[in-house]
Amino acid sequence: MTSASTGRGVWPLAGIVFASIAVAAAAGAGTPLLALYRSRWDLPLWELTAAFAVYAATLLLTLLTAGSLSDHVGRRPVLVGALALMIVASALFLVDGGIGWVLGARALQGIATGAATSTFTATIVELSSTRRRALMTVVTSAAPVGGLALGALLTGISVDLLGDSTRVVFAVLIASFVIGIIAVSAARETSARVPGALRSLRPRLVVPRPARSAFLSVAPLIGAGWMFSGLFLGLGPTFDRAILGVDGGAANGVIVALQPAAAAICGIPFARVPAKRSAWVGALLTALGVAVAVAGIFTTDILVVAFGAVIGGAGQGAGFGASLRLLGAQADNTDRGALFSSAYLIAYTGYGLPVLLAGWAAAAIDLRLVVLSYGAVTAGLAVWALAGLSRGQGRVRTQPARTP
C-alpha cells in the first residue's frame, strides 16, 4: 500500500498536484501580460516573440540536462529547488522594470518548469495507489495544459478589472509555490539516491530500451498536440488582434485559454478508455481541430476558431494522457523521471520552437499564410501519428511496470 492510499498521504499528493498546476499557470499568465507589455512599452513583435522564446529555450535546455536528475538525487530536492526558483522568477515580474526584467523572469520560469515538469509527473504517479495510477497519470498530463489555460484566463480578466494586475497575479502565484514547497516536503520520497547525478547532466534524450517502440509511436502525437497549444498560447495574442479584431484582456484571455482548457477538461474522461484507443481518438480529433481552427482564422469567424480549439484541445487531452500512460507502463522508479522528461522534451519543442519560427516569419510574410503553414505541419504530425497507431505500431505493454 502506498502512502497516497492512506489519509496521511492524500494531502501532500493533492498539494503536489496543485503546485504542478501553479507552475504551468505562471507560464500561462505571461501570455496576456506580454500583449499588455507590448502596448505599454511600444515593443516590436520580435521582442514579444523573444520573451516567449527565451522561456521555451531555457525549458528545453533544462529538460535535456536535468530531466533525469531526480532519478539520482530524489524527487523532493528537485521539486523544492524548482518551486523556489519560480518564487524568484515571480518576484522579478513584480519589479516590472522593462523588457529586460521580463526576459530574465521568463528564463528562470523556463529553467524551473523544465526541472519540475517531468519530476511532478513521476512523483504523482509513484505516490498514487495502483488502482488510481492510470487516472493520476492522466491528471498529470492535464495539469500543464490546464495550468496554462488557468493562468492565461485569470490574468486576461485581471488586466481588464485591476489597475495593477501583474502584482496581484504573481503575489498569488508566490503563495501557491510556498504551499507547493510545504506539500513536497511533507510527501515521502519515492526515488532512492543513486550515483551518477553529475553524469546525468550531460545533454541527452533518455529513452530506456523497453520504451523505445512506444516512444516512437506517440512522439508525433505529443508534438502535434503541443504545437496546437502553441498556436493559441504563442500566436493567439497576435492573430486575435491582427486578424480576428479581438481587443481587451478578458476576451484575449478567453480565446487563448480555450484550447488548453479543453485539453485539460476533456482529457480526464479518457482515463477510462484503453490507452491505445484513446491515443488514436486523440490523433483524429487533433487533426480535425487544427483544420477547423485554421479555417476560422482565415474566414475571421471567431466561433469557428473556438469550435476548432475545443475539438483539437479534446484531441490533445486524450492523446497526451494516453501517451504518458503508454510510456509509464514501460518504466519503473529508476528511470521514470528520465523517460517522462524525454516525452516533455518533445512536447515543449512542439510548443516553443514552431512559435519562434512563426514569429520571425510573421515579420516578413502575411500572418494568415504563417498560420496556414503552422496548421499544415501540426495536422501532418497528427495524421502521421494516426497512421502509425492504426497500423498497430509499437506493440507495448499497457500495465504499469513493477516499482521497487
Side-chain angles (χ1 to χ4, degrees):
M1 178 179 292
T2 66
S3 66
S5 61
T6 68
R8 182 175 63 85
V10 168
W11 297 111
L13 178 59
I16 291 170
V17 173
F18 171 78
S20 71
I21 295 172
V23 167
T31 301
L33 288 178
L34 291 178
L36 177 66
Y37 293 148
R38 185 185 185 190
S39 174
R40 181 188 299 173
W41 298 328
D42 194 25
L43 300 176
L45 179 60
W46 72 267
E47 286 192 356
L48 198 68
T49 305
F52 179 89
V54 71
Y55 167 80
T58 53
L59 190 157
L60 293 174
L61 182 61
T62 305
L63 281 172
L64 274 173
T65 56
S68 61
L69 184 62
S70 71
D71 290 332
H72 297 274
V73 303
R75 312 296 187 209
R76 287 193 298 182
V78 173
L79 289 180
V80 169
L83 290 168
L85 200 58
M86 290 298 290
I87 292 175
V88 175
S90 299
L92 291 182
F93 271 107
L94 293 178
V95 174
D96 199 19
I99 189 61
W101 290 91
V102 172
L103 290 172
R106 293 289 281 174
L108 290 181
Q109 279 187 333
I111 295 170
T113 304
T117 300
S118 62
T119 309
F120 271 129
T121 301
T123 302
I124 293 167
V125 168
E126 291 160 3
L127 286 174
S128 302
S129 64
T130 302
R131 185 168 62 92
R132 297 288 185 186
R133 183 162 290 181
L135 173 62
M136 294 309 295
T137 302
V138 175
V139 168
T140 64
S141 74
V145 287
L148 287 169
L150 187 64
L153 179 61
L154 294 182
T155 304
I157 293 174
S158 68
V159 165
D160 284 350
L161 296 182
L162 303 175
D164 197 358
S165 59
T166 304
R167 294 188 180 278
V168 172
V169 167
F170 284 99
V172 171
L173 285 170
I174 287 173
S176 301
F177 299 140
V178 171
I179 293 172
I181 290 174
I182 295 171
V184 169
S185 300
R188 69 179 178 90
E189 179 58 74
T190 61
S191 180
R193 291 175 178 266
V194 296
L198 289 178
R199 289 194 304 273
S200 74
L201 297 178
R202 292 177 299 178
R204 57 181 180 157
L205 184 71
V206 180
V207 181
R209 186 176 297 275
R212 289 177 185 175
S213 180
F215 188 83
L216 292 174
S217 181
V218 301
L221 176 57
I222 294 173
W226 280 86
M227 268 194 74
F228 194 48
S229 279
L231 176 65
F232 284 87
L233 288 160
L235 294 179
T238 301
F239 70 67
D240 279 357
R241 287 173 167 81
I243 298 178
L244 301 178
V246 175
D247 198 12
N252 182 264
V254 168
I255 295 175
V256 166
L258 193 57
Q259 186 276 336
I265 294 170
C266 297
I268 300 297
F270 279 94
R272 297 181 177 273
V273 179
K276 289 185 179 179
R277 185 182 304 168
S278 178
W280 191 92
V281 172
L284 180 63
L285 290 178
T286 299
L288 179 61
V290 170
V292 173
V294 171
I297 293 171
F298 256 75
T299 58
T300 64
D301 191 326
I302 194 170
L303 291 180
V304 174
V305 174
F307 188 46
V310 171
I311 295 173
Q316 183 191 8
F320 189 51
S323 298
L324 293 186
R325 280 193 284 158
L326 289 170
L327 293 175
Q330 316 305 309
D332 57 31
N333 290 21
T334 63
D335 54 19
R336 187 172 284 115
L339 178 57
F340 283 147
S341 177
S342 296
Y344 278 105
L345 181 65
I346 297 294
Y348 284 113
T349 298
Y351 176 65
L353 182 59
V355 170
L356 176 60
L357 297 176
W360 285 340
I365 61 177
D366 184 72
L367 183 58
R368 285 182 172 84
L369 183 58
V370 172
V371 169
L372 178 62
S373 302
Y374 190 106
V377 174
T378 307
L381 285 173
V383 171
W384 178 11
L386 186 63
L389 292 164
S390 297
R391 290 195 306 268
Q393 179 184 356
R395 300 182 181 280
V396 296
R397 66 175 180 257
T398 56
Q399 297 301 313
R402 294 177 62 184
T403 56

